[in-house]
Amino acid sequence: AQSVTQPDIHITVSEGASLELRCNYSYGATPYLFWYVQSPGQGLQLLLKYFSGDTLVQGIKGFEAEFKRSQSSFNPRKPSVHWSDAAEYFCAVDAGNKLTFGGGTRVLVKP
Amino acid sequence: NAGVTQTPKFRILKIGQSMTLQCTQDMNHNYMYWYRQDPGMGLKLIYYSVGAGITDKGEVPNGYNVSRSTTEDFPLRLELAAPSQTSVYFCASEGQYNEQFFGPGTRLTVL
């Protein structure tokens, strides 16, 4: 069975500093991996996704992530965060057309 | 193209009351989903539908019902509201590449 855990409940980062989000996945042979971002009071928006092919993926808001099968990781990074990156971020695994979500990581950006 | 729309945005119910959360998508997607979001818990799947006339239970279906008479609409019904159903509810539809598109959410409080 798929499982998804996000080890960081909160991350506080200074504006202009780098940011990496983490997620631990357990999945079957062909993972469909997703990251969603939720700004305060809003719905979820797709940040990044990995199905197959090129393991380096560019997402929205300047994020990129590399799928590393040996480490079961697909962690988004942004080299320089902006105040508008303050949001909650969710990773998810597709389990037969149903997503299993992690608990979320809330990112706070200090001026 | 409005995407996924949900009504109402906010609602307060008394224990035992009933209500229907509306969800409509204009992208002609077959797959639709209802989630609830509780703090620190990520999103939990309540019900989903793979097409008009076909629905199935998700992870937390108790206390809810759904119907899918058209491709566009996927209403969620609460028959006897309980405080445990206080949550934010999101509807989503799934596009061609397994990407889910989310509505803005309905914040429900049961007192």
Side-chain angles (χ1 to χ4, degrees):
Chain A
Q2 279 77 0
S3 67
V4 184
T5 54
Q6 294 181 243
D8 304 307
I9 297 175
H10 293 101
I11 294 177
T12 299
V13 60
S14 297
E15 194 167 13
S18 63
L19 171 66
E20 180 172 354
L21 303 167
R22 298 187 297 158
C23 184
N24 299 319
Y25 304 94
S26 168
Y27 48 76
T30 307
Y32 288 1
L33 306 174
F34 300 84
W35 278 90
Y36 285 85
V37 56
Q38 184 181 30
S39 297
Q42 303 296 314
L44 279 73
Q45 182 181 16
L46 183 69
L47 186 72
L48 294 158
K49 63 183 177 185
Y50 175 77
F51 292 166
S52 62
D54 194 348
T55 56
L56 185 62
V57 176
Q58 301 296 323
I60 64 170
K61 297 166 67 75
F63 282 86
E64 70 171 24
E66 183 177 7
F67 175 63
K68 298 180 180 178
R69 184 180 295 275
S70 61
Q71 300 173 24
S72 297
S73 73
F74 181 57
N75 297 338
R77 298 183 305 270
K78 184 167 182 175
S80 176
V81 299
H82 186 261
W83 63 265
S84 60
D85 293 319
E88 189 149 22
Y89 295 81
F90 295 92
C91 58
V93 174
D94 184 284
N97 287 111
K98 289 183 283 185
L99 289 180
T100 300
F101 285 87
T105 296
R106 185 169 297 278
V107 173
L108 305 174
V109 180
K110 295 190 301 184
Chain B
N1 194 337
V4 180
T5 57
Q6 292 182 239
T7 57
K9 291 191 187 319
F10 304 94
R11 185 72 186 269
I12 298 175
L13 286 181
K14 294 182 179 178
I15 294 172
Q17 286 185 319
S18 61
M19 77 164 293
T20 299
L21 283 68
Q22 301 292 345
C23 175
T24 300
Q25 54 95 6
D26 62 359
M27 297 172 282
N28 202 33
H29 291 162
N30 286 321
Y31 287 76
M32 295 186 73
Y33 305 84
W34 273 105
Y35 296 92
R36 58 177 289 171
Q37 183 182 30
D38 300 309
M41 302 296 291
L43 278 75
K44 301 292 186 184
L45 182 64
I46 305 172
Y47 270 94
Y48 67 101
S49 170
V50 302
I54 306 170
T55 63
D56 207 348
K57 296 177 180 178
E59 187 179 356
V60 290
N62 291 343
Y64 307 94
N65 270 303
V66 294
S67 60
R68 185 93 181 272
S69 57
T70 67
T71 299
E72 294 78 18
D73 299 308
F74 190 40
L76 177 72
R77 179 82 177 163
L78 282 72
E79 289 294 350
L80 292 170
S84 61
Q85 294 177 303
T86 294
S87 189
V88 182
Y89 291 84
F90 289 101
C91 178
S93 68
E94 185 169 291
Q96 182 179 2
Y97 301 105
N98 294 70
E99 173 183 347
Q100 291 193 15
F101 297 84
F102 287 81
T106 294
R107 186 174 294 275
L108 175 67
T109 302
V110 182
L111 301 174

mmCIF file of all heavy atoms in Angstrom, chain A residues 13-19 61-62 77-83 85:
data_model
loop_
_atom_site.group_PDB
_atom_site.id
_atom_site.type_symbol
_atom_site.label_atom_id
_atom_site.label_comp_id
_atom_site.label_asym_id
_atom_site.label_seq_id
_atom_site.Cartn_x
_atom_site.Cartn_y
_atom_site.Cartn_z
ATOM 1 N N VAL A 13 11.973 30.031 6.836
ATOM 2 C CA VAL A 13 13.110 30.369 5.981
ATOM 3 C C VAL A 13 13.125 31.879 5.753
ATOM 4 O O VAL A 13 12.066 32.519 5.701
ATOM 5 C CB VAL A 13 13.025 29.594 4.647
ATOM 6 C CG1 VAL A 13 11.740 29.935 3.904
ATOM 7 C CG2 VAL A 13 14.224 29.830 3.779
ATOM 8 N N SER A 14 14.314 32.437 5.665
ATOM 9 C CA SER A 14 14.435 33.868 5.383
ATOM 10 C C SER A 14 14.248 34.129 3.898
ATOM 11 O O SER A 14 14.636 33.307 3.057
ATOM 12 C CB SER A 14 15.806 34.383 5.818
ATOM 13 O OG SER A 14 15.958 34.252 7.215
ATOM 14 N N GLU A 15 13.663 35.265 3.592
ATOM 15 C CA GLU A 15 13.488 35.644 2.189
ATOM 16 C C GLU A 15 14.843 35.715 1.502
ATOM 17 O O GLU A 15 15.799 36.284 2.051
ATOM 18 C CB GLU A 15 12.767 36.987 2.083
ATOM 19 C CG GLU A 15 12.239 37.292 0.692
ATOM 20 C CD GLU A 15 11.264 38.464 0.675
ATOM 21 O OE1 GLU A 15 11.188 39.191 1.679
ATOM 22 O OE2 GLU A 15 10.573 38.631 -0.345
ATOM 23 N N GLY A 16 14.923 35.088 0.341
ATOM 24 C CA GLY A 16 16.190 35.040 -0.381
ATOM 25 C C GLY A 16 16.997 33.785 -0.112
ATOM 26 O O GLY A 16 17.924 33.464 -0.872
ATOM 27 N N ALA A 17 16.686 33.070 0.942
ATOM 28 C CA ALA A 17 17.387 31.826 1.248
ATOM 29 C C ALA A 17 16.789 30.690 0.424
ATOM 30 O O ALA A 17 15.731 30.819 -0.194
ATOM 31 C CB ALA A 17 17.285 31.520 2.740
ATOM 32 N N SER A 18 17.503 29.557 0.435
ATOM 33 C CA SER A 18 17.025 28.401 -0.322
ATOM 34 C C SER A 18 16.035 27.597 0.514
ATOM 35 O O SER A 18 16.012 27.680 1.745
ATOM 36 C CB SER A 18 18.191 27.519 -0.746
ATOM 37 O OG SER A 18 18.831 26.998 0.403
ATOM 38 N N LEU A 19 15.249 26.802 -0.181
ATOM 39 C CA LEU A 19 14.218 25.996 0.473
ATOM 40 C C LEU A 19 14.192 24.619 -0.171
ATOM 41 O O LEU A 19 14.237 24.498 -1.405
ATOM 42 C CB LEU A 19 12.849 26.653 0.315
ATOM 43 C CG LEU A 19 11.619 25.851 0.762
ATOM 44 C CD1 LEU A 19 11.633 25.646 2.275
ATOM 45 C CD2 LEU A 19 10.334 26.548 0.326
ATOM 46 N N LYS A 61 6.350 28.547 -9.866
ATOM 47 C CA LYS A 61 6.892 29.371 -8.783
ATOM 48 C C LYS A 61 8.392 29.177 -8.616
ATOM 49 O O LYS A 61 8.936 29.458 -7.551
ATOM 50 C CB LYS A 61 6.175 29.078 -7.460
ATOM 51 C CG LYS A 61 4.698 29.412 -7.484
ATOM 52 C CD LYS A 61 3.962 28.800 -6.291
ATOM 53 C CE LYS A 61 4.347 29.392 -4.952
ATOM 54 N NZ LYS A 61 3.766 30.737 -4.751
ATOM 55 N N GLY A 62 9.091 28.742 -9.657
ATOM 56 C CA GLY A 62 10.542 28.603 -9.600
ATOM 57 C C GLY A 62 11.045 27.361 -8.890
ATOM 58 O O GLY A 62 12.231 27.251 -8.586
ATOM 59 N N ARG A 77 12.959 21.956 -4.667
ATOM 60 C CA ARG A 77 13.918 22.943 -4.156
ATOM 61 C C ARG A 77 13.668 24.265 -4.863
ATOM 62 O O ARG A 77 13.263 24.309 -6.024
ATOM 63 C CB ARG A 77 15.363 22.509 -4.446
ATOM 64 C CG ARG A 77 15.785 21.214 -3.810
ATOM 65 C CD ARG A 77 17.261 20.957 -4.124
ATOM 66 N NE ARG A 77 17.522 20.985 -5.565
ATOM 67 C CZ ARG A 77 17.445 19.926 -6.345
ATOM 68 N NH1 ARG A 77 17.079 18.760 -5.846
ATOM 69 N NH2 ARG A 77 17.725 20.022 -7.640
ATOM 70 N N LYS A 78 13.955 25.329 -4.121
ATOM 71 C CA LYS A 78 13.935 26.658 -4.717
ATOM 72 C C LYS A 78 15.146 27.400 -4.191
ATOM 73 O O LYS A 78 15.354 27.468 -2.963
ATOM 74 C CB LYS A 78 12.647 27.399 -4.372
ATOM 75 C CG LYS A 78 12.533 28.761 -5.045
ATOM 76 C CD LYS A 78 11.137 29.323 -4.956
ATOM 77 C CE LYS A 78 11.063 30.659 -5.690
ATOM 78 N NZ LYS A 78 9.687 31.210 -5.731
ATOM 79 N N PRO A 79 15.974 27.940 -5.056
ATOM 80 C CA PRO A 79 17.236 28.536 -4.599
ATOM 81 C C PRO A 79 17.050 29.827 -3.820
ATOM 82 O O PRO A 79 17.885 30.153 -2.968
ATOM 83 C CB PRO A 79 18.016 28.779 -5.904
ATOM 84 C CG PRO A 79 17.000 28.732 -6.989
ATOM 85 C CD PRO A 79 15.874 27.895 -6.529
ATOM 86 N N SER A 80 15.986 30.576 -4.082
ATOM 87 C CA SER A 80 15.805 31.859 -3.408
ATOM 88 C C SER A 80 14.308 32.102 -3.213
ATOM 89 O O SER A 80 13.594 32.380 -4.172
ATOM 90 C CB SER A 80 16.427 32.984 -4.246
ATOM 91 O OG SER A 80 16.191 34.252 -3.649
ATOM 92 N N VAL A 81 13.854 31.987 -1.969
ATOM 93 C CA VAL A 81 12.413 32.097 -1.738
ATOM 94 C C VAL A 81 11.972 33.548 -1.676
ATOM 95 O O VAL A 81 12.733 34.449 -1.307
ATOM 96 C CB VAL A 81 11.980 31.365 -0.449
ATOM 97 C CG1 VAL A 81 12.312 29.899 -0.551
ATOM 98 C CG2 VAL A 81 12.561 31.986 0.780
ATOM 99 N N HIS A 82 10.731 33.733 -2.037
ATOM 100 C CA HIS A 82 10.076 35.035 -2.018
ATOM 101 C C HIS A 82 8.982 34.989 -0.960
ATOM 102 O O HIS A 82 8.497 33.918 -0.612
ATOM 103 C CB HIS A 82 9.486 35.299 -3.421
ATOM 104 C CG HIS A 82 8.891 36.638 -3.621
ATOM 105 N ND1 HIS A 82 7.534 36.863 -3.538
ATOM 106 C CD2 HIS A 82 9.467 37.835 -3.896
ATOM 107 C CE1 HIS A 82 7.288 38.139 -3.763
ATOM 108 N NE2 HIS A 82 8.442 38.750 -3.977
ATOM 109 N N TRP A 83 8.571 36.164 -0.469
ATOM 110 C CA TRP A 83 7.536 36.175 0.572
ATOM 111 C C TRP A 83 6.274 35.456 0.103
ATOM 112 O O TRP A 83 5.543 34.854 0.901
ATOM 113 C CB TRP A 83 7.197 37.612 0.998
ATOM 114 C CG TRP A 83 6.619 38.471 -0.102
ATOM 115 C CD1 TRP A 83 7.290 39.314 -0.915
ATOM 116 C CD2 TRP A 83 5.253 38.526 -0.510
ATOM 117 N NE1 TRP A 83 6.426 39.885 -1.806
ATOM 118 C CE2 TRP A 83 5.167 39.441 -1.583
ATOM 119 C CE3 TRP A 83 4.076 37.903 -0.073
ATOM 120 C CZ2 TRP A 83 3.974 39.747 -2.212
ATOM 121 C CZ3 TRP A 83 2.883 38.208 -0.698
ATOM 122 C CH2 TRP A 83 2.843 39.132 -1.766
ATOM 123 N N ASP A 85 6.035 32.764 -1.367
ATOM 124 C CA ASP A 85 6.149 31.302 -1.245
ATOM 125 C C ASP A 85 5.626 30.786 0.092
ATOM 126 O O ASP A 85 5.569 29.564 0.297
ATOM 127 C CB ASP A 85 7.603 30.865 -1.427
ATOM 128 C CG ASP A 85 8.106 31.108 -2.833
ATOM 129 O OD1 ASP A 85 7.344 30.867 -3.787
ATOM 130 O OD2 ASP A 85 9.261 31.575 -2.978
#
